[in-house]
Amino acid sequence: MSPAQPAPSPRPSVESPSLRATLSRAQAESTASLLRVVSDPTRLQILSLIRSSPEGASRVADLTRELGLRQPTVSHHLKVMAEAGVLTRRPAGREVWYGIEPARLDAIGDLLR
Amino acid sequence: MSPAQPAPSPRPSVESPSLRATLSRAQAESTASLLRVVSDPTRLQILSLIRSSPEGASRVADLTRELGLRQPTVSHHLKVMAEAGVLTRRPAGREVWYGIEPARLDAIGDLLR
DNA sequence: TCGTTACTTCGATCGTCATCAATATAGACG
DNA sequence: CGTCTATATTGATGACGATCGAAGTAACGA
């Protein structure tokens, strides 16, 4: 078990400027790219499926079956979200378990405040 | 004054399913399309500019000048955000003032919880 | 070592969308 | 009515990205 992850890798840095400050173009672009990571129906379904899974994490094959998409497609989405810090990645033998990083998800939602 | 708008038109309906519930494909798509509305750097800048404006609203020409983009481009973004309920639209003579609908913006951020 | 299973990477395709120029609408003012 | 100004609409283009099939990598078991 050991639910403590070994650190979610070098994070892409949130900054979390929010809309209150005057947004520079660079800030606006970085905020937009972070929002775009979760602005896809398949990715939202992945997050929802992982969240509702009993283990709090899912394997690639699980998600592939539940989504009805090809496995490379699912791996692609998982990679993008893991790189954005939204998902954690934990290899176990041949399998890889993906879990949610709730703080990161909340931070993205807070970008609109 | 009378800051009460005459109702922001037939709203696209939020639903706000959040990630806690198991997301159907249709729910995931509607949530994603709402998130996509604000997942653009120019739109985030528009929101930030309006928010930081003294009147709490901006005219198309104001935003066009501040963004350094063509007027039809700005009008396009304003239309999309207004249709999504994120902006209010108030014509005044030849001019049109666009303001923020904060509750709607918060609701979008809450979709990730 | 061989085959099988689980996942990742690569390359191509197709649709969506941000932006533009051109044009249309519409209010203000003479 | 004409003219100027402010905004909206239309149509075209270029870029990005979701998805797929094919091929690569890696772990487990016989």
Side-chain angles (χ1 to χ4, degrees):
Chain A
M1 280 88 180
S2 83
Q5 265 82 18
S9 321
R11 297 203 186 159
S13 94
V14 191
E15 289 284 344
S16 83
S18 107
L19 292 178
R20 304 192 181 285
T22 311
L23 236 47
S24 70
R25 183 66 191 184
Q27 284 175 325
E29 280 170 358
S30 115
T31 299
S33 69
L34 203 45
L35 282 168
R36 236 178 300 116
V37 169
V38 292
S39 297
D40 176 89
T42 296
R43 295 194 191 148
L44 292 173
Q45 281 192 289
I46 288 174
L47 292 172
S48 172
L49 287 168
I50 294 179
R51 170 105 78 171
S52 67
S53 72
E55 299 88 354
S58 298
R59 288 164 295 188
V60 182
D62 298 334
L63 297 167
T64 298
R65 170 172 28 79
E66 292 169 310
L67 290 169
L69 292 175
R70 296 300 170 172
Q71 186 266 321
T73 301
V74 176
S75 272
H76 166 66
H77 287 301
L78 294 171
K79 179 182 189 181
V80 171
M81 287 196 282
E83 283 176 349
V86 172
L87 292 183
T88 60
R89 193 187 121 101
R90 185 172 63 82
R94 294 185 275 200
E95 307 173 338
V96 178
W97 290 84
Y98 285 91
I100 291 185
E101 194 75 40
R104 182 73 169 181
L105 214 45
D106 290 349
I108 295 179
D110 288 341
L111 291 174
L112 298 177
R113 301 188 182 274
Chain B
M1 277 92 178
S2 84
Q5 265 84 17
S9 321
R11 297 206 186 157
S13 92
V14 191
E15 288 284 345
S16 82
S18 107
L19 293 178
R20 304 192 181 285
T22 311
L23 236 45
S24 71
R25 183 67 190 182
Q27 283 176 324
E29 280 171 357
S30 116
T31 299
S33 69
L34 203 46
L35 281 169
R36 235 180 301 116
V37 169
V38 292
S39 297
D40 176 90
T42 297
R43 295 194 191 148
L44 292 174
Q45 281 191 289
I46 288 175
L47 292 172
S48 172
L49 286 168
I50 294 178
R51 170 107 76 170
S52 67
S53 73
E55 299 88 354
S58 299
R59 290 162 293 188
V60 181
D62 298 334
L63 297 168
T64 298
R65 171 172 29 80
E66 294 170 310
L67 290 169
L69 292 176
R70 298 297 171 174
Q71 178 266 315
T73 301
V74 176
S75 274
H76 166 66
H77 288 301
L78 293 171
K79 180 183 188 179
V80 171
M81 287 195 282
E83 285 177 348
V86 172
L87 293 181
T88 60
R89 193 187 119 101
R90 185 172 63 81
R94 295 183 272 202
E95 307 173 339
V96 179
W97 291 84
Y98 285 90
I100 292 187
E101 195 75 43
R104 183 72 169 181
L105 214 45
D106 289 349
I108 295 179
D110 287 341
L111 291 174
L112 298 176
R113 303 186 181 275

PDB file of all heavy atoms in Angstrom, chain A residues 46-80:
ATOM      1  N   ILE A  46     -12.446  10.250 -17.254  1.00  0.00           N
ATOM      2  CA  ILE A  46     -11.343   9.541 -16.589  1.00  0.00           C
ATOM      3  C   ILE A  46     -11.251   9.964 -15.132  1.00  0.00           C
ATOM      4  O   ILE A  46     -11.151   9.127 -14.223  1.00  0.00           O
ATOM      5  CB  ILE A  46     -10.021   9.815 -17.332  1.00  0.00           C
ATOM      6  CG1 ILE A  46     -10.002   9.089 -18.679  1.00  0.00           C
ATOM      7  CG2 ILE A  46      -8.827   9.393 -16.475  1.00  0.00           C
ATOM      8  CD1 ILE A  46      -8.791   9.406 -19.544  1.00  0.00           C
ATOM      9  N   LEU A  47     -11.302  11.268 -14.893  1.00  0.00           N
ATOM     10  CA  LEU A  47     -11.237  11.757 -13.512  1.00  0.00           C
ATOM     11  C   LEU A  47     -12.387  11.202 -12.695  1.00  0.00           C
ATOM     12  O   LEU A  47     -12.217  10.776 -11.542  1.00  0.00           O
ATOM     13  CB  LEU A  47     -11.245  13.282 -13.514  1.00  0.00           C
ATOM     14  CG  LEU A  47      -9.993  13.959 -14.089  1.00  0.00           C
ATOM     15  CD1 LEU A  47     -10.197  15.457 -14.222  1.00  0.00           C
ATOM     16  CD2 LEU A  47      -8.779  13.666 -13.212  1.00  0.00           C
ATOM     17  N   SER A  48     -13.571  11.208 -13.283  1.00  0.00           N
ATOM     18  CA  SER A  48     -14.749  10.714 -12.581  1.00  0.00           C
ATOM     19  C   SER A  48     -14.638   9.219 -12.289  1.00  0.00           C
ATOM     20  O   SER A  48     -14.987   8.759 -11.193  1.00  0.00           O
ATOM     21  CB  SER A  48     -15.988  11.013 -13.425  1.00  0.00           C
ATOM     22  OG  SER A  48     -17.124  10.399 -12.882  1.00  0.00           O
ATOM     23  N   LEU A  49     -14.142   8.463 -13.255  1.00  0.00           N
ATOM     24  CA  LEU A  49     -13.998   7.017 -13.070  1.00  0.00           C
ATOM     25  C   LEU A  49     -12.977   6.697 -11.984  1.00  0.00           C
ATOM     26  O   LEU A  49     -13.199   5.824 -11.139  1.00  0.00           O
ATOM     27  CB  LEU A  49     -13.578   6.355 -14.395  1.00  0.00           C
ATOM     28  CG  LEU A  49     -14.673   6.257 -15.455  1.00  0.00           C
ATOM     29  CD1 LEU A  49     -14.100   5.868 -16.806  1.00  0.00           C
ATOM     30  CD2 LEU A  49     -15.741   5.255 -15.021  1.00  0.00           C
ATOM     31  N   ILE A  50     -11.862   7.407 -12.001  1.00  0.00           N
ATOM     32  CA  ILE A  50     -10.850   7.170 -10.973  1.00  0.00           C
ATOM     33  C   ILE A  50     -11.410   7.521  -9.600  1.00  0.00           C
ATOM     34  O   ILE A  50     -11.246   6.794  -8.628  1.00  0.00           O
ATOM     35  CB  ILE A  50      -9.578   7.987 -11.269  1.00  0.00           C
ATOM     36  CG1 ILE A  50      -8.910   7.487 -12.549  1.00  0.00           C
ATOM     37  CG2 ILE A  50      -8.603   7.913 -10.094  1.00  0.00           C
ATOM     38  CD1 ILE A  50      -7.673   8.255 -12.932  1.00  0.00           C
ATOM     39  N   ARG A  51     -12.092   8.660  -9.544  1.00  0.00           N
ATOM     40  CA  ARG A  51     -12.649   9.121  -8.268  1.00  0.00           C
ATOM     41  C   ARG A  51     -13.630   8.103  -7.693  1.00  0.00           C
ATOM     42  O   ARG A  51     -13.654   7.869  -6.480  1.00  0.00           O
ATOM     43  CB  ARG A  51     -13.363  10.454  -8.484  1.00  0.00           C
ATOM     44  CG  ARG A  51     -14.170  10.912  -7.311  1.00  0.00           C
ATOM     45  CD  ARG A  51     -13.539  12.033  -6.551  1.00  0.00           C
ATOM     46  NE  ARG A  51     -13.718  13.306  -7.201  1.00  0.00           N
ATOM     47  CZ  ARG A  51     -13.415  14.478  -6.653  1.00  0.00           C
ATOM     48  NH1 ARG A  51     -12.928  14.515  -5.428  1.00  0.00           N
ATOM     49  NH2 ARG A  51     -13.566  15.592  -7.303  1.00  0.00           N
ATOM     50  N   SER A  52     -14.436   7.510  -8.565  1.00  0.00           N
ATOM     51  CA  SER A  52     -15.471   6.591  -8.071  1.00  0.00           C
ATOM     52  C   SER A  52     -14.957   5.162  -7.947  1.00  0.00           C
ATOM     53  O   SER A  52     -15.715   4.267  -7.583  1.00  0.00           O
ATOM     54  CB  SER A  52     -16.679   6.636  -8.996  1.00  0.00           C
ATOM     55  OG  SER A  52     -16.348   6.098 -10.261  1.00  0.00           O
ATOM     56  N   SER A  53     -13.699   4.938  -8.262  1.00  0.00           N
ATOM     57  CA  SER A  53     -13.173   3.575  -8.151  1.00  0.00           C
ATOM     58  C   SER A  53     -12.871   3.253  -6.690  1.00  0.00           C
ATOM     59  O   SER A  53     -12.455   4.129  -5.934  1.00  0.00           O
ATOM     60  CB  SER A  53     -11.909   3.427  -8.990  1.00  0.00           C
ATOM     61  OG  SER A  53     -10.846   4.124  -8.370  1.00  0.00           O
ATOM     62  N   PRO A  54     -13.072   2.013  -6.285  1.00  0.00           N
ATOM     63  CA  PRO A  54     -12.911   1.613  -4.888  1.00  0.00           C
ATOM     64  C   PRO A  54     -11.489   1.861  -4.378  1.00  0.00           C
ATOM     65  O   PRO A  54     -11.299   2.278  -3.230  1.00  0.00           O
ATOM     66  CB  PRO A  54     -13.222   0.117  -4.877  1.00  0.00           C
ATOM     67  CG  PRO A  54     -13.600  -0.273  -6.246  1.00  0.00           C
ATOM     68  CD  PRO A  54     -13.525   0.902  -7.138  1.00  0.00           C
ATOM     69  N   GLU A  55     -10.496   1.635  -5.233  1.00  0.00           N
ATOM     70  CA  GLU A  55      -9.102   1.794  -4.797  1.00  0.00           C
ATOM     71  C   GLU A  55      -8.642   3.256  -4.830  1.00  0.00           C
ATOM     72  O   GLU A  55      -7.526   3.551  -4.413  1.00  0.00           O
ATOM     73  CB  GLU A  55      -8.162   0.963  -5.675  1.00  0.00           C
ATOM     74  CG  GLU A  55      -8.420  -0.532  -5.657  1.00  0.00           C
ATOM     75  CD  GLU A  55      -9.453  -0.918  -6.706  1.00  0.00           C
ATOM     76  OE1 GLU A  55     -10.013   0.015  -7.328  1.00  0.00           O
ATOM     77  OE2 GLU A  55      -9.705  -2.113  -6.894  1.00  0.00           O
ATOM     78  N   GLY A  56      -9.462   4.123  -5.394  1.00  0.00           N
ATOM     79  CA  GLY A  56      -9.021   5.504  -5.547  1.00  0.00           C
ATOM     80  C   GLY A  56      -8.006   5.671  -6.655  1.00  0.00           C
ATOM     81  O   GLY A  56      -7.388   6.721  -6.796  1.00  0.00           O
ATOM     82  N   ALA A  57      -7.836   4.641  -7.448  1.00  0.00           N
ATOM     83  CA  ALA A  57      -6.906   4.683  -8.578  1.00  0.00           C
ATOM     84  C   ALA A  57      -7.348   3.648  -9.596  1.00  0.00           C
ATOM     85  O   ALA A  57      -8.096   2.722  -9.264  1.00  0.00           O
ATOM     86  CB  ALA A  57      -5.483   4.411  -8.122  1.00  0.00           C
ATOM     87  N   SER A  58      -6.910   3.814 -10.837  1.00  0.00           N
ATOM     88  CA  SER A  58      -7.327   2.903 -11.900  1.00  0.00           C
ATOM     89  C   SER A  58      -6.143   2.519 -12.772  1.00  0.00           C
ATOM     90  O   SER A  58      -5.190   3.289 -12.903  1.00  0.00           O
ATOM     91  CB  SER A  58      -8.404   3.563 -12.776  1.00  0.00           C
ATOM     92  OG  SER A  58      -9.568   3.853 -12.028  1.00  0.00           O
ATOM     93  N   ARG A  59      -6.228   1.333 -13.370  1.00  0.00           N
ATOM     94  CA  ARG A  59      -5.207   0.916 -14.330  1.00  0.00           C
ATOM     95  C   ARG A  59      -5.643   1.331 -15.729  1.00  0.00           C
ATOM     96  O   ARG A  59      -6.823   1.568 -15.989  1.00  0.00           O
ATOM     97  CB  ARG A  59      -5.043  -0.607 -14.286  1.00  0.00           C
ATOM     98  CG  ARG A  59      -4.355  -1.096 -13.036  1.00  0.00           C
ATOM     99  CD  ARG A  59      -4.563  -2.569 -12.847  1.00  0.00           C
ATOM    100  NE  ARG A  59      -5.980  -2.874 -12.609  1.00  0.00           N
ATOM    101  CZ  ARG A  59      -6.442  -4.057 -12.260  1.00  0.00           C
ATOM    102  NH1 ARG A  59      -5.603  -5.068 -12.133  1.00  0.00           N
ATOM    103  NH2 ARG A  59      -7.729  -4.246 -12.055  1.00  0.00           N
ATOM    104  N   VAL A  60      -4.701   1.394 -16.625  1.00  0.00           N
ATOM    105  CA  VAL A  60      -4.987   1.808 -17.993  1.00  0.00           C
ATOM    106  C   VAL A  60      -6.042   0.912 -18.625  1.00  0.00           C
ATOM    107  O   VAL A  60      -6.982   1.392 -19.265  1.00  0.00           O
ATOM    108  CB  VAL A  60      -3.700   1.807 -18.842  1.00  0.00           C
ATOM    109  CG1 VAL A  60      -4.006   2.281 -20.255  1.00  0.00           C
ATOM    110  CG2 VAL A  60      -2.641   2.679 -18.192  1.00  0.00           C
ATOM    111  N   ALA A  61      -5.908  -0.396 -18.399  1.00  0.00           N
ATOM    112  CA  ALA A  61      -6.837  -1.343 -19.012  1.00  0.00           C
ATOM    113  C   ALA A  61      -8.252  -1.152 -18.475  1.00  0.00           C
ATOM    114  O   ALA A  61      -9.221  -1.262 -19.227  1.00  0.00           O
ATOM    115  CB  ALA A  61      -6.362  -2.772 -18.763  1.00  0.00           C
ATOM    116  N   ASP A  62      -8.372  -0.842 -17.166  1.00  0.00           N
ATOM    117  CA  ASP A  62      -9.685  -0.574 -16.584  1.00  0.00           C
ATOM    118  C   ASP A  62     -10.363   0.571 -17.330  1.00  0.00           C
ATOM    119  O   ASP A  62     -11.504   0.444 -17.787  1.00  0.00           O
ATOM    120  CB  ASP A  62      -9.537  -0.173 -15.110  1.00  0.00           C
ATOM    121  CG  ASP A  62      -8.922  -1.283 -14.271  1.00  0.00           C
ATOM    122  OD1 ASP A  62      -9.061  -2.459 -14.665  1.00  0.00           O
ATOM    123  OD2 ASP A  62      -8.302  -0.968 -13.243  1.00  0.00           O
ATOM    124  N   LEU A  63      -9.647   1.680 -17.435  1.00  0.00           N
ATOM    125  CA  LEU A  63     -10.218   2.875 -18.054  1.00  0.00           C
ATOM    126  C   LEU A  63     -10.529   2.636 -19.530  1.00  0.00           C
ATOM    127  O   LEU A  63     -11.566   3.069 -20.038  1.00  0.00           O
ATOM    128  CB  LEU A  63      -9.240   4.042 -17.899  1.00  0.00           C
ATOM    129  CG  LEU A  63      -8.978   4.449 -16.448  1.00  0.00           C
ATOM    130  CD1 LEU A  63      -7.779   5.382 -16.346  1.00  0.00           C
ATOM    131  CD2 LEU A  63     -10.215   5.106 -15.850  1.00  0.00           C
ATOM    132  N   THR A  64      -9.644   1.915 -20.203  1.00  0.00           N
ATOM    133  CA  THR A  64      -9.851   1.618 -21.620  1.00  0.00           C
ATOM    134  C   THR A  64     -11.169   0.872 -21.822  1.00  0.00           C
ATOM    135  O   THR A  64     -11.967   1.214 -22.693  1.00  0.00           O
ATOM    136  CB  THR A  64      -8.677   0.777 -22.162  1.00  0.00           C
ATOM    137  OG1 THR A  64      -7.467   1.529 -22.045  1.00  0.00           O
ATOM    138  CG2 THR A  64      -8.903   0.421 -23.613  1.00  0.00           C
ATOM    139  N   ARG A  65     -11.387  -0.120 -20.967  1.00  0.00           N
ATOM    140  CA  ARG A  65     -12.626  -0.901 -21.072  1.00  0.00           C
ATOM    141  C   ARG A  65     -13.846  -0.030 -20.780  1.00  0.00           C
ATOM    142  O   ARG A  65     -14.819  -0.018 -21.515  1.00  0.00           O
ATOM    143  CB  ARG A  65     -12.563  -2.088 -20.105  1.00  0.00           C
ATOM    144  CG  ARG A  65     -13.871  -2.835 -19.957  1.00  0.00           C
ATOM    145  CD  ARG A  65     -13.692  -4.121 -19.127  1.00  0.00           C
ATOM    146  NE  ARG A  65     -12.602  -4.032 -18.164  1.00  0.00           N
ATOM    147  CZ  ARG A  65     -12.682  -3.394 -16.979  1.00  0.00           C
ATOM    148  NH1 ARG A  65     -13.809  -2.810 -16.622  1.00  0.00           N
ATOM    149  NH2 ARG A  65     -11.648  -3.369 -16.166  1.00  0.00           N
ATOM    150  N   GLU A  66     -13.763   0.775 -19.705  1.00  0.00           N
ATOM    151  CA  GLU A  66     -14.932   1.558 -19.302  1.00  0.00           C
ATOM    152  C   GLU A  66     -15.243   2.689 -20.271  1.00  0.00           C
ATOM    153  O   GLU A  66     -16.385   3.125 -20.392  1.00  0.00           O
ATOM    154  CB  GLU A  66     -14.705   2.110 -17.889  1.00  0.00           C
ATOM    155  CG  GLU A  66     -14.685   1.001 -16.838  1.00  0.00           C
ATOM    156  CD  GLU A  66     -14.207   1.502 -15.478  1.00  0.00           C
ATOM    157  OE1 GLU A  66     -13.150   2.168 -15.406  1.00  0.00           O
ATOM    158  OE2 GLU A  66     -14.903   1.228 -14.501  1.00  0.00           O
ATOM    159  N   LEU A  67     -14.220   3.188 -20.948  1.00  0.00           N
ATOM    160  CA  LEU A  67     -14.433   4.331 -21.841  1.00  0.00           C
ATOM    161  C   LEU A  67     -14.810   3.888 -23.252  1.00  0.00           C
ATOM    162  O   LEU A  67     -15.392   4.671 -24.018  1.00  0.00           O
ATOM    163  CB  LEU A  67     -13.164   5.193 -21.906  1.00  0.00           C
ATOM    164  CG  LEU A  67     -12.821   5.975 -20.637  1.00  0.00           C
ATOM    165  CD1 LEU A  67     -11.419   6.562 -20.739  1.00  0.00           C
ATOM    166  CD2 LEU A  67     -13.844   7.087 -20.412  1.00  0.00           C
ATOM    167  N   GLY A  68     -14.452   2.662 -23.620  1.00  0.00           N
ATOM    168  CA  GLY A  68     -14.722   2.220 -24.978  1.00  0.00           C
ATOM    169  C   GLY A  68     -13.836   2.899 -26.000  1.00  0.00           C
ATOM    170  O   GLY A  68     -14.223   3.082 -27.154  1.00  0.00           O
ATOM    171  N   LEU A  69     -12.657   3.305 -25.577  1.00  0.00           N
ATOM    172  CA  LEU A  69     -11.694   3.914 -26.513  1.00  0.00           C
ATOM    173  C   LEU A  69     -10.481   2.997 -26.651  1.00  0.00           C
ATOM    174  O   LEU A  69     -10.312   2.065 -25.872  1.00  0.00           O
ATOM    175  CB  LEU A  69     -11.250   5.286 -26.008  1.00  0.00           C
ATOM    176  CG  LEU A  69     -12.318   6.380 -25.998  1.00  0.00           C
ATOM    177  CD1 LEU A  69     -11.778   7.644 -25.359  1.00  0.00           C
ATOM    178  CD2 LEU A  69     -12.816   6.653 -27.404  1.00  0.00           C
ATOM    179  N   ARG A  70      -9.626   3.300 -27.628  1.00  0.00           N
ATOM    180  CA  ARG A  70      -8.418   2.506 -27.818  1.00  0.00           C
ATOM    181  C   ARG A  70      -7.421   2.814 -26.715  1.00  0.00           C
ATOM    182  O   ARG A  70      -7.376   3.925 -26.196  1.00  0.00           O
ATOM    183  CB  ARG A  70      -7.812   2.785 -29.192  1.00  0.00           C
ATOM    184  CG  ARG A  70      -8.710   2.367 -30.338  1.00  0.00           C
ATOM    185  CD  ARG A  70      -8.999   0.885 -30.276  1.00  0.00           C
ATOM    186  NE  ARG A  70     -10.047   0.496 -31.231  1.00  0.00           N
ATOM    187  CZ  ARG A  70     -10.377  -0.756 -31.489  1.00  0.00           C
ATOM    188  NH1 ARG A  70      -9.789  -1.743 -30.829  1.00  0.00           N
ATOM    189  NH2 ARG A  70     -11.311  -1.039 -32.358  1.00  0.00           N
ATOM    190  N   GLN A  71      -6.618   1.828 -26.441  1.00  0.00           N
ATOM    191  CA  GLN A  71      -5.700   1.964 -25.321  1.00  0.00           C
ATOM    192  C   GLN A  71      -4.670   3.080 -25.505  1.00  0.00           C
ATOM    193  O   GLN A  71      -4.401   3.822 -24.545  1.00  0.00           O
ATOM    194  CB  GLN A  71      -5.036   0.595 -25.077  1.00  0.00           C
ATOM    195  CG  GLN A  71      -4.166   0.554 -23.867  1.00  0.00           C
ATOM    196  CD  GLN A  71      -2.740   0.843 -24.260  1.00  0.00           C
ATOM    197  OE1 GLN A  71      -2.274   0.407 -25.290  1.00  0.00           O
ATOM    198  NE2 GLN A  71      -2.046   1.612 -23.437  1.00  0.00           N
ATOM    199  N   PRO A  72      -4.097   3.263 -26.709  1.00  0.00           N
ATOM    200  CA  PRO A  72      -3.163   4.390 -26.873  1.00  0.00           C
ATOM    201  C   PRO A  72      -3.820   5.739 -26.626  1.00  0.00           C
ATOM    202  O   PRO A  72      -3.185   6.656 -26.084  1.00  0.00           O
ATOM    203  CB  PRO A  72      -2.712   4.264 -28.331  1.00  0.00           C
ATOM    204  CG  PRO A  72      -2.871   2.824 -28.655  1.00  0.00           C
ATOM    205  CD  PRO A  72      -4.098   2.380 -27.893  1.00  0.00           C
ATOM    206  N   THR A  73      -5.062   5.863 -26.978  1.00  0.00           N
ATOM    207  CA  THR A  73      -5.786   7.108 -26.730  1.00  0.00           C
ATOM    208  C   THR A  73      -5.872   7.391 -25.239  1.00  0.00           C
ATOM    209  O   THR A  73      -5.610   8.511 -24.774  1.00  0.00           O
ATOM    210  CB  THR A  73      -7.201   7.026 -27.329  1.00  0.00           C
ATOM    211  OG1 THR A  73      -7.097   6.778 -28.728  1.00  0.00           O
ATOM    212  CG2 THR A  73      -7.966   8.303 -27.089  1.00  0.00           C
ATOM    213  N   VAL A  74      -6.211   6.364 -24.481  1.00  0.00           N
ATOM    214  CA  VAL A  74      -6.323   6.537 -23.037  1.00  0.00           C
ATOM    215  C   VAL A  74      -4.963   6.861 -22.429  1.00  0.00           C
ATOM    216  O   VAL A  74      -4.838   7.765 -21.596  1.00  0.00           O
ATOM    217  CB  VAL A  74      -6.918   5.263 -22.393  1.00  0.00           C
ATOM    218  CG1 VAL A  74      -6.952   5.394 -20.879  1.00  0.00           C
ATOM    219  CG2 VAL A  74      -8.323   5.004 -22.941  1.00  0.00           C
ATOM    220  N   SER A  75      -3.926   6.152 -22.872  1.00  0.00           N
ATOM    221  CA  SER A  75      -2.580   6.432 -22.372  1.00  0.00           C
ATOM    222  C   SER A  75      -2.185   7.882 -22.649  1.00  0.00           C
ATOM    223  O   SER A  75      -1.530   8.525 -21.821  1.00  0.00           O
ATOM    224  CB  SER A  75      -1.562   5.494 -23.030  1.00  0.00           C
ATOM    225  OG  SER A  75      -1.439   4.296 -22.304  1.00  0.00           O
ATOM    226  N   HIS A  76      -2.563   8.362 -23.799  1.00  0.00           N
ATOM    227  CA  HIS A  76      -2.252   9.761 -24.151  1.00  0.00           C
ATOM    228  C   HIS A  76      -2.883  10.729 -23.160  1.00  0.00           C
ATOM    229  O   HIS A  76      -2.215  11.629 -22.638  1.00  0.00           O
ATOM    230  CB  HIS A  76      -2.730  10.052 -25.567  1.00  0.00           C
ATOM    231  CG  HIS A  76      -2.765  11.504 -25.905  1.00  0.00           C
ATOM    232  ND1 HIS A  76      -1.624  12.282 -25.985  1.00  0.00           N
ATOM    233  CD2 HIS A  76      -3.792  12.344 -26.146  1.00  0.00           C
ATOM    234  CE1 HIS A  76      -1.949  13.521 -26.281  1.00  0.00           C
ATOM    235  NE2 HIS A  76      -3.256  13.594 -26.383  1.00  0.00           N
ATOM    236  N   HIS A  77      -4.165  10.544 -22.886  1.00  0.00           N
ATOM    237  CA  HIS A  77      -4.849  11.434 -21.937  1.00  0.00           C
ATOM    238  C   HIS A  77      -4.211  11.346 -20.554  1.00  0.00           C
ATOM    239  O   HIS A  77      -4.031  12.359 -19.870  1.00  0.00           O
ATOM    240  CB  HIS A  77      -6.326  11.066 -21.860  1.00  0.00           C
ATOM    241  CG  HIS A  77      -7.104  11.462 -23.074  1.00  0.00           C
ATOM    242  ND1 HIS A  77      -7.194  12.753 -23.520  1.00  0.00           N
ATOM    243  CD2 HIS A  77      -7.838  10.723 -23.944  1.00  0.00           C
ATOM    244  CE1 HIS A  77      -7.941  12.802 -24.599  1.00  0.00           C
ATOM    245  NE2 HIS A  77      -8.348  11.590 -24.891  1.00  0.00           N
ATOM    246  N   LEU A  78      -3.887  10.121 -20.138  1.00  0.00           N
ATOM    247  CA  LEU A  78      -3.280   9.945 -18.815  1.00  0.00           C
ATOM    248  C   LEU A  78      -1.931  10.649 -18.732  1.00  0.00           C
ATOM    249  O   LEU A  78      -1.601  11.281 -17.736  1.00  0.00           O
ATOM    250  CB  LEU A  78      -3.125   8.450 -18.523  1.00  0.00           C
ATOM    251  CG  LEU A  78      -4.444   7.678 -18.365  1.00  0.00           C
ATOM    252  CD1 LEU A  78      -4.193   6.182 -18.300  1.00  0.00           C
ATOM    253  CD2 LEU A  78      -5.189   8.157 -17.120  1.00  0.00           C
ATOM    254  N   LYS A  79      -1.176  10.562 -19.799  1.00  0.00           N
ATOM    255  CA  LYS A  79       0.132  11.206 -19.800  1.00  0.00           C
ATOM    256  C   LYS A  79       0.004  12.718 -19.660  1.00  0.00           C
ATOM    257  O   LYS A  79       0.705  13.353 -18.859  1.00  0.00           O
ATOM    258  CB  LYS A  79       0.885  10.862 -21.094  1.00  0.00           C
ATOM    259  CG  LYS A  79       2.244  11.515 -21.183  1.00  0.00           C
ATOM    260  CD  LYS A  79       2.947  11.202 -22.497  1.00  0.00           C
ATOM    261  CE  LYS A  79       4.389  11.701 -22.457  1.00  0.00           C
ATOM    262  NZ  LYS A  79       5.111  11.436 -23.713  1.00  0.00           N
ATOM    263  N   VAL A  80      -0.901  13.287 -20.440  1.00  0.00           N
ATOM    264  CA  VAL A  80      -1.088  14.744 -20.403  1.00  0.00           C
ATOM    265  C   VAL A  80      -1.501  15.196 -19.003  1.00  0.00           C
ATOM    266  O   VAL A  80      -0.958  16.159 -18.453  1.00  0.00           O
ATOM    267  CB  VAL A  80      -2.137  15.180 -21.441  1.00  0.00           C
ATOM    268  CG1 VAL A  80      -2.507  16.647 -21.262  1.00  0.00           C
ATOM    269  CG2 VAL A  80      -1.618  14.929 -22.845  1.00  0.00           C
TER     270      VAL A  80
END
